[in-house]
Amino acid sequence: MADTAGAAPLVEEATKVDDELLSAFARLVPQLSSSASVPGGEELAEMVASEAVRLLVARDGAGGAVVGTLTLVLFRIPTGVRAWIEDVVVDQARRGRGVGEALTLAAVERAREAGARTVDLTSRPSREAANRLYQRLGFRLRETNLYRLDLG
């Protein structure tokens, strides 16, 4: 296979679970969270099959290795279609090369096509580069209270 490390990222939606996808998540999830479990084949298959989830993967060009992932969640509520971006992770070796931007723009376009009027996401303040990217792409910091109830 040719070296594609400098190629523009190609974003596609995961439509099947195979060894490559399992391997990519095993490599990428620990770079996102030291406490999260890596999803197995059953969990990934549930996401790929879900009508509410778009599991996006970024590759180093056509046929290249998976270098990033993003999960877009789309759901209808009484006030319209909502879109949330979750669990964006780009391989450490490819950060700063447009992978996160390509994933985010692809998610925004899919949200627009689904009829969402807005796209929400959260990002830890310590993820400075990611926060700069989101702001550069037009995301605005909202003044809100985010509450979480730990269920276990």
Side-chain angles (χ1 to χ4, degrees):
M1 182 181 299
D3 178 21
T4 57
L10 172 71
V11 177
E12 60 192 23
E13 189 171 335
T15 58
K16 65 179 178 159
V17 177
D18 56 17
D19 289 342
E20 179 189 31
L21 191 65
L22 287 165
S23 176
F25 273 85
R27 181 173 37 84
L28 294 170
V29 168
Q31 295 180 47
L32 176 66
S33 170
S34 59
S35 62
S37 302
V38 174
E42 220 171 278
E43 292 89 359
L44 288 172
E46 184 179 337
M47 287 185 274
V48 167
S50 173
E51 296 211 12
V53 175
R54 305 295 182 273
L55 187 58
L56 304 182
V57 296
R59 297 180 175 279
D60 260 337
V66 174
V67 294
T69 66
L70 176 151
T71 305
L72 174 65
V73 182
L74 297 161
F75 55 97
R76 178 165 288 288
I77 59 173
T79 56
V81 176
R82 297 296 307 259
W84 276 89
I85 291 175
E86 292 286 346
D87 289 351
V88 180
V89 60
V90 173
D91 192 287
Q92 288 173 335
R94 289 287 282 139
R95 291 182 187 162
R97 297 182 186 169
V99 176
E101 180 175 355
L103 282 163
T104 304
L105 291 174
V108 167
E109 185 55 34
R110 283 169 172 79
R112 183 178 286 114
E113 290 169 357
R117 292 185 305 144
T118 61
V119 178
D120 292 312
L121 60 82
T122 61
S123 185
R124 289 188 301 269
S126 62
R127 297 185 66 211
E128 294 175 5
N131 282 283
R132 283 192 304 272
L133 168 66
Y134 300 138
Q135 291 172 21
R136 185 170 50 79
L137 294 179
F139 287 83
R140 294 183 322 275
L141 188 61
R142 295 183 67 198
E143 288 192 32
T144 185
N145 296 331
L146 174 64
Y147 294 95
R148 176 173 287 166
L149 175 64
D150 190 351
L151 299 177

